[in-house]
Amino acid sequence: MSAAEVVKDLRSARNVLLAAVGLLAVLGLIMVYSASWARVSDAAGNYYLFRQMTWLAAAAVAALFFWMVDYRVWVRLRYPVMFCTLLLLAAVLMPGVGSRINGARRWFRLGTIGIQASEFARVGMVVFLAGFLSTRKDKITSFWRGFLPAVVFVGAGFVLIAAEPDIGMALLWAVVGGSLVFAAGSRISHVFLMTALAVPPFLFVVATRFGYIMARVQAYLNPAAEATGKGYQAMQSMIALGRGGLFGVGLGESVQKMFFLPEPHTDFILAVLGEELGFVGVLLVIFAFVVIAYQGLRITFWARDTVGHLLALGATLLVSVQAAVNIGVVTGALPTKGMALPFLSYGGSNLVSTFALVGLLAGVARRTAAELRSLAPTRTFTVVPTECWPAPCDLPDVSEA
Amino acid sequence: MPEARSQYPPVSPTMRIRSTVAVGTVSLALVLLVGRAFYIQVLKGDEYTRMAREQSLRAEQVPGTRGTIFDATGVVLAKDVPAYSVWIYVPEVQGVDSVLAELARCVDFDAARVRARISAGGLFVPVARKIPVEIGHSLQDARMPGVSLLPDTRRVYPLGEAAAPIIGAVGFEGQGLTGVEAEYDSVLAGRPGSIVITRDGAGRVRGFEADPDRRSMPGKDLCLTLRSRVQESAHRAVSEAVLQFEAVSASAVVVDARTGDVLALVCVPSFEPAEPGKAEIDSMRIRPVTDAFEPGSSFKPFIMAGAVELGLVDLDEEWHCGNGAWRHGGRLLHDAHPYGFLNTRMVLIKSSNIGMAKIGLRIHEKIGYEGMHQMVSAFGFGRPAGIGLPGETPGLLLPHTRWTSYSVTSIPMGQEIAVSPLQLSLGYAAIVNGGWLNSPRLVDRWVSGTYEEKLEGPPPAHRVISASTSAVMRSMMERVVLEGTGKRAALKDYRVGGKTGTAQKARDGVYVDGLFTGVFVGFAPADNPKVVCAVLVDEPGKSHYGGTVAAPACRNIIESAMLDLGVLPSAPPVVASHP
C-alpha cells in the first residue's frame, strides 16, 4: 500500500472511530437519563444527565488535548508519568486523601465530584509502558533489563489497585499492561513464566482475602439459586435483558432500573439499554465496540514507530477489554465486578480517561499521517531512483530485514 | 525532501502480529458476547420476562364496586366513590415518627396499630384506608418518600344520619352491617377482582392497573320506595321533637296509604353511616321496625273500626263516660277530661278511655274473646309486618286463651298490646284507604346496567274492613284533628286526619309514673288519603300527650310528603255539625 493510501486509510479509521465514539456517547447520555430518573425525585430528574453532559464536555477537551499534542512528548516524560501514576494509586489508598465508599478506597473527593484514581492511572500506565518499552526496544528480550522492570511496574500498579480493592480494574490493568509487554516483543517463554508465577498467588489471595470475590464467583456459577443473595445483581441484569427481548420494551419503559438493578446508570447501564432497546440495541453497542477495536487496530498497525504502536494498542485494548468485561458481567458471562461500560456508563473519571485514550489514538493517527505525508510526493509526480524512496510502509518492513 | 524518520525504533512485524492477536482476541470475545446476549434476550426472553413479572408485579384483591342505593325519585342514598388507601414503605421513610405525624394531620388513623405492624417487621404497612380522593391528591403532591397510595373505594351516604338506621352501613371490607346494606348485601355486593401492582426493587408501589383477566364486577343497584325529601323532613321533625321535648328517642314511619310503600322511615338517635365503627350499637337499631310499644289511645281506631264494621255499635249511640272515672271489676278507669254522655263518634274524637272500655265490653259480649282477638289481628298486629329487615318485631298480642277479664277493656284503650310504628302506620292505612291491609314494601327493584328486575313484591293486600266503614273512620279521625285531641296536626292547605296516643310506659310489667310514649298517627288528604304517618316520641321529658309531642312533627312530615308527592291542596273540610 502506498503512503497516500495509508494516509487515506488512517483518515478513514479516525473518522469511523470518532463516529462510533460519538454514537456511543449520545446513546450513553440518553441511557443515563433514562436509567437514572427512577432513582431521583422529579425535581432532580436531570441531575445525572446534566452532570454527565458536563463530564462529556471535559472529556472532549481531554480528547482534543491528547489528539493535538505530539505523542512523542510522552516518551520524554515517561519517568515523571510513571511516578505520577504510582503516586496517584498510592495516594488514594491513604486515609484522609482517598475517600472510602462502600468499603473501597478508590476515589479522591473534590467537593461534589469524585475522581477515580485507577481510571486516570491506566492512561499513565499506557503512556509509560509505550515510552519505556520503546526506549528499551533492543533490550526487551532480556529478562532482567527489559522484561522484568516493565513487569514490576505493571505488578506494582496491580497490587495498588487490588488493595483499594478493585479487582476488576486491577485485572484490566494487568491484562492490558501484560499485552503491551507481550506486543513489544518479549520472549514468549518470559510471558509464560511470569503468568505461571503470578496466577497461583493471585488466586490464593483472592480466595483468602477477598471473600466477596469468591461469593460472586459462586453466584456466577449458579445465579438462579442465589437470585436474592449474591447472584442478585447478575440475575437482575439477565432479567432486564431477557425482558427486553428482540426489540426492547421501549425507551424509558424499563422496570428493572427501578431498584432491581443495583447500578442501573453506571455498571449495569447496558442491562437497562438491553431492556429498553432490546437485543437490537445491545447488538448495536457491541458492534460499535468492535468497530472501535478495529479502527484502533488499523491505527496501531500503521503507526510508524513503536511508541505510537504501543500507545495505540494500549488505548484500543483498554477501551475494548473494559467494554468486553462489562458486557460479560451484564450478560452473566463473567462474575460481577464493578466496571464501567466505556462511553455509556455514568461517571466522569471513566468518561474523561476513555476520551483521553480516544484522543491518544487519534493523535497517533494524526502524527503517522503527517509523517507519511512529509515523506510521500505530494504535488508533482517525478520518477526518482528506487533507492531514494522512503522506507516502504508495507509489510514486511525492509528495515527489519 | 528531509528524512523524517522517528528517533524511536520502527515497528516490527512481530509487534504487528502480536498486537493483531491481542485486539483480535478481544474482538472475538465481543462477538461471542453477541451470542450470549442473543441467548438471553431472544431465546430465553420469555423466561426472564416471566421472572421480571413475578418480582415486580403483585396481584392485590380489590372489592367490586358496591351497588348504589337510590330512592324512589332517583336520589342517591348510598354510593361507592373512588378513594385511596395510604401505605408506607418503611425502609424508604425518612423517620417513621415524623412521617406518621405528618400523615396524622390530614388522615385519621390508628398510629399505635401502624407502629405495632412496623415493629412486627412489616415493610409495606397500610396506614389508612378509604381516604377521600382530595386528601389522596394532596398527599401525592406532598411527595413524602415512602408513602404510597393504592386505589380503594369509600361508601358515601348523602343523607347521612337522616337515613342511617334504615339504609344501614358497611363494614371495613364493604360488607353490609345493618339495615338495607345488610339485608340486601348479596344484591349490592360486587364481585371482587384483582389489580396488578407494579413494585420496584425496593418494594415501593410504582403503579397499578386492573387485571384484565380478573376484573371486579360492580354489584347491582337498588331502588327503594323511600323518598329522600320526605325522609329528610321526617328526620328533621323527629329530631326537633326529641330536642324540644327532651325525649329519649323518636321514630316516624311514612307509608303510601294505598300500596304500603314505605316513603320514609326514620328514628333518632341515629348514627353517622360513613363511620359505623364509632356508632353506638343502640343507635343502629331500626326502631320503627324493631321496637314495639304500647300504643295507648292510638290503638282505639282499630277497635272502633272493628265494632263499626261488625255493626256492634251504632254511630249515634250514646255512651256514658262516668264523668272521668268508672270502676270496672276491681279497676278504676280514668279519662283525661271528664265526660258525661258521648256518642260513639265522640268517644273516639275525645279519646275517652271509659267509652272505649264500654265498647270493648260490648264487643266481648257479642263475639267473645276470640272474635275480639281476630278483630285485632286482622289489622296485622301480633305478627311481623314483613318489611324484610333484620330484627323485625311481631309486637305483642297475647293469644285470647291467655286473656283475662281486664283484657277486653284494656285492649280498646291500647294497653296489654304492643305494636311497632310500622305496624301501626300500615294498620291505619288499612282503616283509611278503603279497607285494604298492605304489607310494607321498601325495595322496588334492582338494576344492573340496563337490565332491571322488580323484586318479588309483598303478598297482595287483603280487605279487612269495608269501604263504608273506612269512610266513617276517615271522617271521625279528621274530626280528631279538627276538634279533638289532634288539633296540632292540622294543616292550612290539606285536610288531615289522625289519632293521638299517650301511653304510660311499663317497666317489668308495672306502669311507671312519669314515663310516657307520645304517639300521633296522621293521614292526608283526609278525604282521599295518600300517606299515613306515624310519629312516636319516647319518654318525653317535657309534656307527654301525643297531641302535643308527636302531632306537630307529624304535621310537618305530612306537609312535606304532600309537597313531595305533588298532592294538590284540598278543598276546605266540611265542618261537621256538633252533635
Side-chain angles (χ1 to χ4, degrees):
Chain A
M1 212 186 266
S2 73
E5 280 170 327
V6 171
V7 169
K8 219 172 132 190
D9 195 47
L10 280 169
R11 190 182 297 125
S12 127
R14 182 201 63 195
N15 291 345
V16 174
L17 171 75
L18 294 183
V21 167
L23 171 83
L24 288 177
V26 170
L27 201 55
L29 285 181
I30 295 170
M31 292 318 298
V32 162
Y33 177 63
S34 172
S36 66
W37 73 258
R39 303 180 69 85
V40 292
S41 64
D42 287 0
N46 297 329
Y47 175 82
Y48 288 103
L49 177 67
F50 285 164
R51 282 181 75 107
Q52 184 77 346
M53 286 168 84
T54 312
W55 280 119
L56 199 56
V61 171
L64 218 54
F65 176 75
F66 281 96
W67 189 354
M68 292 307 152
V69 173
D70 189 336
Y71 63 83
R72 295 181 193 91
V73 170
W74 306 121
V75 182
R76 288 197 285 280
L77 293 175
R78 61 189 179 278
Y79 287 108
V81 165
M82 179 199 79
F83 178 74
C84 289
T85 300
L86 293 178
L87 183 69
L88 199 63
L89 291 176
V92 80
L93 292 175
M94 280 189 272
V97 182
S99 61
R100 198 177 187 88
I101 298 171
N102 293 335
R105 220 179 268 283
R106 301 174 185 174
W107 305 82
F108 296 111
R109 186 143 289 285
L110 304 170
T112 60
I113 60 171
I115 307 287
Q116 192 176 347
S118 54
E119 291 282 4
F120 292 99
R122 63 187 185 145
V123 181
M125 181 260 286
V126 168
V127 168
F128 169 72
L129 280 181
F132 178 79
L133 294 171
S134 299
T135 50
R136 299 260 175 137
K137 181 75 176 89
D138 46 341
K139 305 187 186 85
I140 191 68
T141 49
S142 153
F143 183 82
W144 295 106
R145 300 180 61 196
F147 182 77
L148 194 63
V151 167
V152 165
F153 168 74
V154 172
F158 174 84
V159 167
L160 287 172
I161 297 171
E164 291 178 0
D166 188 349
I167 299 299
M169 183 58 84
L171 282 173
L172 177 71
W173 173 284
V175 165
V176 175
S179 298
L180 289 182
V181 174
F182 167 71
S186 319
R187 290 183 188 278
I188 301 283
S189 58
H190 292 166
V191 175
F192 274 125
L193 177 68
M194 193 47 62
T195 309
L197 286 175
V199 168
F202 170 73
L203 289 179
F204 176 75
V205 170
V206 162
T208 53
R209 289 290 305 281
F210 301 102
Y212 75 103
I213 300 283
M214 287 311 289
R216 283 181 185 174
V217 172
Q218 287 289 336
Y220 158 68
L221 293 174
N222 193 1
E226 296 191 58
T228 54
K230 297 294 191 310
Y232 178 82
Q233 298 184 357
M235 199 66 218
Q236 292 304 336
S237 176
M238 290 201 279
I239 288 175
L241 290 173
R243 189 167 175 272
L246 190 56
F247 295 108
V249 294
L251 210 54
E253 297 291 323
S254 167
V255 165
Q256 292 297 105
K257 68 188 176 191
M258 309 272 197
F259 297 92
F260 289 108
L261 281 169
E263 301 283 348
H265 59 306
T266 60
D267 294 352
F268 283 95
I269 196 160
L270 188 73
V272 178
L273 185 144
E275 186 180 358
E276 297 190 348
L277 303 179
F279 173 70
V280 174
V282 175
L283 187 63
L284 179 72
V285 169
I286 297 178
F287 179 70
F289 279 114
V290 172
V291 165
I292 288 171
Y294 179 63
Q295 307 318 315
L297 183 62
R298 277 165 96 182
I299 293 167
T300 306
F301 199 85
W302 296 129
R304 297 276 300 164
D305 52 36
T306 47
V307 181
H309 183 91
L310 291 174
L311 276 176
L313 177 67
T316 306
L317 285 180
L318 276 179
V319 173
S320 53
V321 173
Q322 190 172 30
V325 170
N326 178 282
I327 297 169
V329 168
V330 167
T331 55
L334 293 173
T336 306
K337 53 180 70 74
M339 187 160 287
L341 183 59
F343 308 114
L344 285 111
S345 287
Y346 172 80
S349 303
N350 181 256
L351 202 61
V352 171
S353 67
T354 307
F355 267 78
L357 293 170
V358 172
L360 215 47
L361 262 179
V364 171
R366 182 180 139 101
R367 297 297 147 193
T368 308
E371 197 168 303
L372 285 172
R373 263 198 302 272
S374 72
L375 297 177
T378 46
R379 287 189 211 148
T380 52
F381 186 74
T382 34
V383 178
V384 290
T386 319
E387 59 270 25
C388 298
W389 277 53
C393 41
D394 308 330
L395 277 175
D397 195 325
V398 286
S399 64
E400 277 298 295
Chain B
M1 197 175 289
E3 175 60 46
R5 291 299 301 261
S6 169
Q7 72 250 47
Y8 301 110
V11 181
S12 67
T14 317
M15 284 178 77
R16 286 188 171 137
I17 289 164
R18 288 186 177 187
S19 298
T20 307
V21 167
V23 177
T25 308
V26 182
S27 301
L28 182 67
L30 283 167
V31 170
L32 289 176
L33 288 171
V34 171
R36 174 76 185 167
F38 184 81
Y39 172 76
I40 292 172
Q41 298 198 266
V42 180
L43 300 185
K44 290 271 190 170
D46 292 342
E47 193 178 314
Y48 285 118
T49 305
R50 187 176 49 72
M51 290 167 75
R53 284 182 64 87
E54 277 171 11
Q55 69 178 6
S56 67
L57 302 180
R58 194 181 59 198
E60 188 92 1
Q61 201 181 55
V62 286
T65 311
R66 193 172 170 84
T68 304
I69 303 177
F70 295 101
D71 81 343
T73 59
V75 173
V76 170
L77 298 175
K79 185 177 172 62
D80 269 11
V81 295
Y84 286 113
S85 54
V86 185
W87 297 64
I88 55 171
Y89 181 63
V90 179
E92 191 73 5
V93 165
Q94 291 162 3
V96 170
D97 290 316
S98 65
V99 166
L100 287 183
E102 188 74 18
L103 286 174
R105 288 204 289 173
C106 47
V107 183
D108 196 22
F109 64 92
D110 184 358
R113 229 181 77 173
V114 174
R115 274 175 224 282
R117 292 191 68 159
I118 291 171
S119 51
L123 289 183
F124 196 52
V125 176
V127 174
R129 290 189 50 189
K130 303 183 184 301
I131 66 161
V133 173
E134 303 75 44
I135 295 179
H137 287 165
S138 69
L139 280 178
Q140 253 167 4
D141 293 341
R143 294 179 196 287
M144 287 190 264
V147 176
S148 317
L149 295 171
L150 287 183
D152 203 350
T153 58
R154 191 167 66 89
R155 198 139 179 93
V156 293
Y157 298 90
L159 261 51
E161 289 193 2
I166 174 77
I167 301 303
V170 294
F172 215 60
E173 304 301 328
Q175 77 283 18
L177 293 178
T178 59
V180 172
E181 295 273 29
E183 191 63 28
Y184 294 90
D185 198 34
S186 57
V187 179
L188 290 165
R191 202 183 68 195
S194 293
I195 55 165
V196 178
I197 299 174
T198 310
R199 217 173 50 90
D200 68 16
R204 276 165 309 180
V205 172
R206 286 282 177 173
F208 44 78
E209 56 187 20
D211 183 343
D213 301 328
R214 293 197 296 145
R215 282 192 191 284
S216 61
M217 291 283 288
K220 302 180 185 84
D221 299 341
L222 274 186
C223 296
L224 306 185
T225 59
L226 293 180
R227 298 182 77 88
S228 59
R229 273 193 278 183
V230 182
Q231 178 82 18
E232 274 191 305
S233 67
H235 181 257
R236 200 179 315 123
V238 298
S239 302
E240 281 168 7
V242 164
L243 277 179
Q244 188 181 347
F245 300 107
E246 295 172 2
V248 170
S249 70
S251 310
V253 179
V254 183
V255 297
D256 184 310
R258 296 182 180 287
T259 61
D261 285 358
V262 178
L263 305 184
L265 201 149
V266 300
C267 57
V268 285
S270 181
F271 65 99
E272 178 48 56
E275 294 179 65
K278 293 179 178 169
E280 288 178 30
I281 280 294
D282 203 38
S283 67
M284 295 173 101
R285 222 162 62 229
I286 317 167
R287 290 163 192 272
V289 174
T290 60
D291 290 12
F293 68 104
E294 208 167 69
S297 304
S298 62
F299 197 71
K300 289 170 180 169
F302 297 104
I303 299 298
M304 184 62 82
V308 171
E309 173 72 15
L310 297 175
L312 303 180
V313 295
D314 186 58
L315 287 176
D316 297 318
E317 199 178 341
E318 298 281 330
W319 304 84
H320 194 274
C321 297
N323 292 316
W326 178 58
R327 184 169 294 280
H328 171 68
R331 213 160 50 140
L332 187 64
L333 300 180
H334 290 283
D335 273 342
H337 304 282
Y339 298 109
F341 278 104
L342 291 176
N343 69 19
T344 308
R345 286 191 177 89
M346 293 312 286
V347 165
L348 186 75
I349 293 164
K350 295 297 183 189
S351 198
S352 166
N353 289 336
I354 296 165
M356 284 309 297
K358 288 184 173 176
I359 292 171
L361 287 174
R362 167 82 60 81
I363 295 168
H364 174 236
E365 183 188 313
K366 297 278 170 112
I367 58 174
Y369 286 153
E370 198 175 348
M372 194 168 179
H373 189 276
Q374 241 169 32
M375 183 189 284
V376 173
S377 66
F379 286 103
F381 299 111
R383 59 176 184 275
I387 194 174
L389 287 174
E392 191 174 1
T393 179
L396 177 70
L397 173 63
L398 290 175
H400 60 83
T401 50
R402 287 177 58 195
W403 285 9
T404 66
S405 59
Y406 288 147
S407 301
V408 292
T409 52
S410 295
I411 289 173
M413 300 189 302
Q415 296 179 344
E416 253 193 66
I417 187 167
V419 303
S420 69
L422 179 66
Q423 287 175 315
L424 200 60
S425 57
L426 290 163
Y428 266 71
I431 292 176
V432 301
N433 72 5
W436 296 93
L437 181 69
N438 285 290
S439 295
R441 202 167 70 102
L442 180 62
V443 180
D444 182 51
R445 61 190 190 277
W446 57 255
V447 181
S448 177
T450 55
Y451 178 75
E452 61 177 58
E453 191 171 301
K454 284 268 183 195
L455 256 76
E456 194 183 332
H462 61 276
R463 182 174 281 286
V464 289
I465 55 171
S466 68
S468 60
T469 306
S470 176
V472 168
M473 292 306 297
R474 282 202 297 271
S475 76
M476 260 192 236
M477 287 196 277
E478 188 177 11
R479 286 178 63 186
V480 170
V481 173
L482 289 173
E483 55 195 86
T485 52
K487 287 182 185 142
R488 286 170 207 245
L491 283 169
K492 194 159 71 67
D493 294 332
Y494 295 96
R495 291 171 61 183
V496 179
K499 181 72 192 79
T500 57
T502 310
Q504 248 188 309
K505 286 196 78 173
R507 289 239 170 108
D508 308 321
V510 183
Y511 286 110
V512 182
D513 274 346
L515 280 189
F516 292 93
T517 310
V519 191
F520 188 85
V521 188
F523 57 92
D527 54 338
N528 181 20
K530 292 279 195 285
V531 300
V532 173
C533 169
V535 175
L536 166 85
V537 180
D538 198 25
E539 295 182 23
K542 288 180 192 165
S543 185
H544 57 272
Y545 291 114
T548 311
V549 297
C554 190
R555 178 193 63 210
N556 294 341
I557 298 169
I558 285 176
E559 184 172 30
S560 77
M562 292 292 101
L563 294 172
D564 190 46
L565 293 170
V567 178
L568 294 175
S570 315
V574 183
V575 178
S577 56
H578 205 272

